[in-house]
């Protein structure tokens, strides 16, 4: 298993956290999304336990590839569309969907890109994190990428 740790000050409504994350654990079931399996909290943090993904994220994967076929890209995009459509059907949005939050789960099984299987991580964050914190963090990431800070 893997764990995401979030400081309680960043949780939008700490009193509703158990209910929200409980609904995600019990109701969000999609093979393109990492399973959330448990949670706990203490005075300082909430801990979300997820399925462990043994593999690189899509950003790392692309760093090792010189190209991908149109069929390969289509396979990945179709899985992304299915997962995002599923999340929207559950009343959720990802808000931080990036290559770093998309993991390749079967690269070792198939050395052919046409059979890539992906899983999206951190989709549950938008349901528990203060929206102002997300905007702040995304701005910091963008500033860092542009080397402005």
């Amino acid at each position: 298993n893997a764990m995401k740790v979030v400081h309680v000050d960043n949780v939008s409504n700490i009193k509703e956290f158990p209910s929200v994350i409980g609904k995600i654990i019990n109701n969000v079931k999609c093979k393109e999304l990492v399973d959330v399996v448990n949670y706990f909290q203490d005075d300082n943090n909430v801990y979300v336990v997820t399925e462990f993904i043994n593999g690189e994220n899509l950003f790392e994967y692309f760093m090792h590839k010189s190209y991908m076929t149109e069929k390969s890209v289509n396979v990945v995009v179709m899985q992304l569309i299915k997962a995002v459509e599923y999340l929207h059907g559950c009343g959720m949005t990802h808000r931080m969907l990036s290559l770093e939050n998309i993991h390749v789960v079967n690269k070792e099984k198939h050395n052919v890109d046409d059979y890539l299987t992906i899983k999206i991580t951190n989709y549950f964050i938008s349901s528990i994190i203060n929206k102002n914190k997300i905007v702040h963090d995304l701005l910091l990431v963008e500033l860092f990428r542009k080397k402005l800070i």
Side-chain angles (χ1 to χ4, degrees), residues 2-128:
M3 184 180 307
K4 183 76 172 180
V5 180
V6 179
H7 194 275
V8 293
D9 290 344
N10 296 328
V11 177
S12 59
N13 188 337
I14 195 66
K15 290 179 183 173
E16 290 183 17
F17 170 75
S19 173
V20 170
I21 203 71
K23 287 178 184 173
I24 292 171
I25 291 169
N26 293 322
N27 299 317
V28 176
K29 305 294 179 202
C30 178
K31 69 179 185 173
E32 290 82 13
L33 299 172
V34 170
D35 288 333
V36 177
V37 295
N38 206 349
Y39 75 92
F40 55 97
Q41 66 188 83
D42 59 26
D43 292 338
N44 298 316
N45 298 302
V46 296
Y47 306 86
V48 180
V49 181
T50 66
E51 150 189 23
F52 177 73
I53 301 299
N54 186 19
E56 58 193 358
N57 63 45
L58 215 47
F59 179 79
E60 296 164 333
Y61 181 78
F62 287 145
M63 295 300 289
H64 299 104
K65 298 290 292 178
S66 56
Y67 71 94
M68 284 183 75
T69 66
E70 183 178 339
K71 184 176 181 182
S72 302
V73 172
N74 186 44
V75 167
V76 171
V77 169
M78 292 307 291
Q79 291 174 78
L80 284 171
I81 290 170
K82 180 180 176 190
V84 169
E85 185 176 61
Y86 181 87
L87 283 175
H88 289 180
C90 293
M92 299 172 64
T93 56
H94 193 293
R95 297 187 192 207
M96 298 187 324
L97 191 58
S98 67
L99 295 177
E100 290 85 354
N101 287 325
I102 303 166
H103 287 258
V104 178
V105 296
N106 73 331
K107 184 180 142 195
E108 296 78 27
K109 293 179 189 172
H110 304 284
N111 237 352
V112 180
D113 290 339
D114 296 342
Y115 301 104
L116 283 181
T117 302
I118 58 148
K119 282 208 176 222
I120 297 175
T121 62
N122 295 330
Y123 61 88
F124 52 87
I125 294 296
S126 66
S127 296
I128 62 173

